[in-house]
Structures are given as C-alpha cells and as structure tokens.
Amino acid sequence: MTFAATILTLYPEMFPGPLGVSLAGRALREGKWSLATTQIRDFAVDRHRTVDDTPAGGGAGMVLRADVLAAAIDSVSDDVPVLAMSPRGRPLAQARVRELAAGPGVAIMCGRFEGFDERIFEGRNVEPVSIGDYILSGGEMGAFVLLDACIRLLPGVMGAASSGDDESFESGLLEYPHYTRPVEWEGRTIPEVLRSGNHAAVAAWRKTRAETDTRLRRPDLWERHIGARARPPSGARQPSEDDKT
C-alpha cells in the first residue's frame, strides 16, 4: 500500500521541494509514497477568492476562514488523518511519527497569517501538530518536516530494516555520538573503546553516552525516560502489603 500525502496549502508550488530529492525523492519516484496538493483558495466562496478575514475581537493580522478550510478538508479522502501545522498543537514526537507512517497516509493543512479559525477543530476531525516552540511564515515547512520523518520509516526507503532503530528518540534518549576515519583529527582521537573490537564494551559505552548526553542536554527527555523505566509493565501485578513484610 502506497503512503499517500495530501497537502492543503495556499502555495502548492512549494512541493515537493526538498521531498523531491535524496531518500524521499527516490521513494517518491519509485512509488513508495505519493504526493498531491490542494489549493485552499479554490474553495473560496466569493469572486475575489478570499480565504481569510480580520480576527474577531480586533487585533493585527488575518485569520483563515473556517468555511473555506472545511470545504478544502471535505475534498480530501476521509481514510487518512487530517493534521494542521500549528504552534498551538501538540509537539510532534517519534512515537506519533511511527503511528502515522504505519497508516495509509496523511492530509496536512498548512496555515498562514495568524492561523486558523478555531472552529475548524470543533467542526472537523483535525489534529493540530507543532514542530517546535518558534514561529514560521507558514505551515509548509512543518509539513516538510513531518513528511520527511514519516517517509524514511516506510518499508524499503532506508534500505536495511534496522537502519533507524538506534537513532535519537527511538528509545526515548538522544543517540550516542558517532565517529569515523581518520582516527586522529586536529589532536582529537576516536575513543579507544570504539576501536577495541569488543562489541559488548562498545554497546555499554554507547548506552552510557546516550543516557549522559540526554540527561545533560535534554532533561525533559531524561525525566520522561526515567518515568517510563519506573512504571511496571502493562499487566504486571502491583505489590501488595504482604510483599513488604
């Protein structure tokens, strides 16, 4: 089954953009995923093809109209989840990426101006998604990020099935650091353990570095990781008072 991506945007000419090269581009040409764009402006209801209006209650900027957005969404297959790139959305995480990549595809709505009329999230099943705590000119860049994260997980895109298993966030931790030849560069040497040929020692070093770097650089991830390790497995028996005696 081909992973089908549909982009709802005011700038369809931006696509495929970076998704047309490298792994994603090759997979697109090989038919491992498909890409379609929908021009939101085509669903405007007036002769000026207006898609936005001034914010209710006053303020700067313009807001994308719910009626126009709804018509655009309704034109998309209801077999795929509809996502809206928005700084008000839940942060995109690798677990959600894996869920999306395992499905039939996605429809991604790209905002502009001040964003979406909030009623679109009440009137349609739309999931707001954020790629970080910063502001972009539009949701298209976020759509590139989300799709690239999904496409690389599709069968056959990365080659070996295990290619992505050791990467950052797959285990809830940052990935361990990498090195390659030359052994010495500007007085800096590859750690000896990585040159030892001792696979158990290498694995232990990588695990320790992943934990240490996550704890120092991303304490938020570290806290979640520790919390996950502390939780008993699903279905495990909880300790009783008799266990404590």
Side-chain angles (χ1 to χ4, degrees):
M1 180 176 62
T2 298
F3 181 90
T6 301
I7 309 297
L8 286 71
T9 174
L10 292 172
Y11 299 98
E13 64 272 18
M14 292 180 67
F15 294 88
L19 298 175
V21 298
S22 189
L23 289 175
R26 184 174 64 203
L28 182 62
R29 292 188 293 274
E30 292 175 349
K32 292 183 171 67
W33 70 288
S34 65
L35 176 66
T37 57
T38 295
Q39 169 59 267
I40 295 173
R41 199 172 297 279
D42 289 345
F43 299 90
V45 296
D46 65 340
R47 64 188 182 89
H48 299 294
R49 304 180 77 203
T50 306
V51 298
D52 58 347
D53 210 331
T54 55
M62 302 292 280
V63 178
L64 287 169
R65 293 172 48 143
D67 56 346
V68 176
L69 294 172
I73 292 170
D74 291 345
S75 74
V76 176
S77 169
D78 56 8
D79 294 332
V80 299
V82 180
L83 313 179
M85 306 310 302
S86 167
R88 287 170 46 81
R90 178 177 297 178
L92 182 65
Q94 189 66 13
R96 184 60 177 134
V97 169
R98 282 202 168 275
E99 291 174 353
L100 294 171
V106 292
I108 305 176
M109 188 165 62
C110 301
R112 284 276 161 172
F113 318 123
E114 292 301 309
F116 309 104
D117 184 315
E118 188 67 16
R119 291 172 294 180
I120 196 63
F121 300 105
E122 302 165 3
R124 296 293 184 274
N125 185 19
V126 179
E127 175 187 349
V129 177
S130 170
I131 62 165
D133 297 337
Y134 44 85
I135 307 299
L136 298 171
S137 299
E140 288 79 11
M141 299 305 293
F144 287 136
V145 170
L146 190 153
L147 283 179
D148 184 79
C150 291
I151 293 162
R152 61 190 300 279
L153 297 181
L154 300 179
V157 172
M158 285 197 296
S162 61
S163 293
D165 291 349
D166 261 352
E167 295 181 317
S168 292
F169 312 117
E170 287 293 350
S171 64
L173 299 171
L174 297 180
E175 192 178 7
Y176 51 80
H178 293 277
Y179 299 86
T180 188
R181 289 187 290 268
V183 172
E184 183 174 339
W185 173 75
E186 293 188 353
R188 297 169 175 83
T189 305
I190 296 175
E192 184 176 351
V193 64
L194 299 181
R195 297 178 280 128
S196 68
N198 185 329
H199 298 299
V202 169
W205 179 90
R206 287 174 169 172
K207 180 176 183 293
T208 298
R209 279 302 304 266
E211 292 177 344
T212 300
D213 289 353
T214 302
R215 179 170 52 84
L216 295 177
R217 300 180 185 183
R218 290 291 304 274
D220 57 322
L221 288 179
W222 179 247
E223 288 180 10
R224 287 202 295 271
H225 177 69
I226 293 300
R229 290 199 309 184
R231 286 194 294 272
S234 177
R237 184 178 69 87
Q238 298 296 318
S240 67
E241 289 301 317
D242 292 339
D243 296 326
K244 301 176 183 177
T245 59

